[in-house]
């Protein structure tokens, strides 16, 4: 009787131990520590090489009266000077604020206008065309000129009948009927009155070719 009880007790102990082991195997394991994430490393931008602008050569302003090339025109104009193109195509530096330079006066006189009126209407027209060309080129260089010339009244056959003095200019705003006078002083007064009526009279200059 004791032997049987002892056997049952031993069996119960073995069963309890097995159950404990089984329960132990089913219990949750300790949580594993999370693996730390690698921190992102900021990428430094690649160095940018500074671009160096090419050096632009500085062209000195040419002197007044100098004959220059096309490459020097910008430097002259940047300095407030003008560039007069002669009838032969030369580029001459002028000062627009100064009286008309000799190069312009010489070309104006080369038109044929002077103290003597043209003998006929055809000659007068040729002189006028030449003088207007000089005036237009002067205006492009900053000089707006008004010429007083010895003209005349011409008959139907084209010959001169009476000497008159006239105003000739490439400035269209100064052109109007009634530009003739019996004297140089009268024609000059007509030119001055037309200049004074402009918004900026100081930009014009009267050149008398008739004396």
């Amino acid at each position: 009787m004791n032997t049987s009880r002892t056997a049952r007790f031993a069996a119960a102990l073995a069963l309890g131990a097995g159950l404990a082991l089984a329960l132990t195997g089913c219990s949750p394991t300790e949580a594993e520590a999370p693996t730390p994430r690698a921190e992102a490393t900021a990428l430094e931008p690649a160095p940018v090489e500074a671009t160096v602008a090419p050096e632009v050569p500085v062209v000195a302003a040419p002197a007044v009266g100098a004959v220059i090339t096309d490459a020097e025109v910008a430097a002259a104009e940047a300095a407030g000077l003008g560039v007069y193109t002669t009838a032969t195509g030369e580029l001459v530096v002028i000062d627009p604020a100064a009286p008309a330079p000799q190069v312009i006066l010489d070309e104006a006189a080369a038109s044929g206008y002077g103290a003597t009126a043209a003998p006929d209407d055809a000659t007068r027209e040729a002189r006028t065309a030449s003088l207007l060309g000089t005036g237009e080129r002067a205006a492009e260089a900053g000089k707006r000129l008004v010429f007083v010339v010895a003209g005349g009244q011409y008959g139907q056959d084209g010959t001169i009948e009476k000497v008159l003095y006239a105003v000739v200019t490439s400035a269209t705003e100064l052109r109007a009927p009634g530009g003739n006078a019996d004297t140089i002083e009268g024609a000059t007064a007509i030119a001055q009155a037309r200049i004074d009526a402009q918004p900026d009279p100081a930009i014009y200059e009267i050149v008398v070719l008739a004396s």
Side-chain angles (χ1 to χ4, degrees):
M1 189 69 176
N2 291 338
T3 302
S4 176
R5 190 183 305 163
T6 301
R8 287 197 300 271
F9 181 72
L13 287 177
L15 180 60
L19 182 59
L21 289 174
L23 291 175
T24 302
C26 293
S27 62
T29 59
E30 293 183 3
E32 296 182 0
T35 302
R37 282 187 285 178
E39 295 183 1
T41 302
L43 297 177
E44 294 184 1
V48 179
E49 295 184 3
T51 57
V52 179
E55 292 186 4
V56 178
V58 178
V59 180
V64 172
V67 177
I68 62 174
T69 64
D70 290 336
E72 298 171 285
V73 170
E77 293 177 344
L81 301 175
V83 179
Y84 177 74
T85 304
T86 68
T88 58
E90 284 187 326
L91 303 177
V92 182
V93 180
I94 70 168
D95 181 0
Q102 195 61 45
V103 62
I104 294 179
L105 298 179
D106 289 344
E107 291 207 336
S111 68
Y113 271 121
T116 304
D120 54 68
D121 201 28
T123 303
R124 180 195 61 80
E125 289 182 354
R127 290 180 179 181
T128 300
S130 175
L131 188 58
L132 288 176
T134 299
E136 289 169 357
R137 294 193 302 276
E140 292 174 354
K143 293 296 299 180
R144 301 181 72 80
L145 302 177
V146 184
F147 300 100
V148 174
V149 302
Q153 179 178 312
Y154 297 85
Q156 291 184 346
D157 62 353
T159 59
I160 190 167
E161 296 179 343
K162 179 182 179 180
V163 174
L164 294 172
Y165 297 91
V167 175
V168 177
T169 179
S170 63
T172 56
E173 67 275 14
L174 299 181
R175 296 179 185 174
N180 297 329
D182 292 330
T183 64
I184 294 174
E185 293 76 16
T188 302
I190 292 172
Q192 189 61 58
R194 294 180 181 180
I195 290 172
D196 292 341
Q198 301 305 311
D200 189 3
I203 67 174
Y204 303 94
E205 180 183 346
I206 297 176
V207 176
V208 178
L209 296 177
S211 56

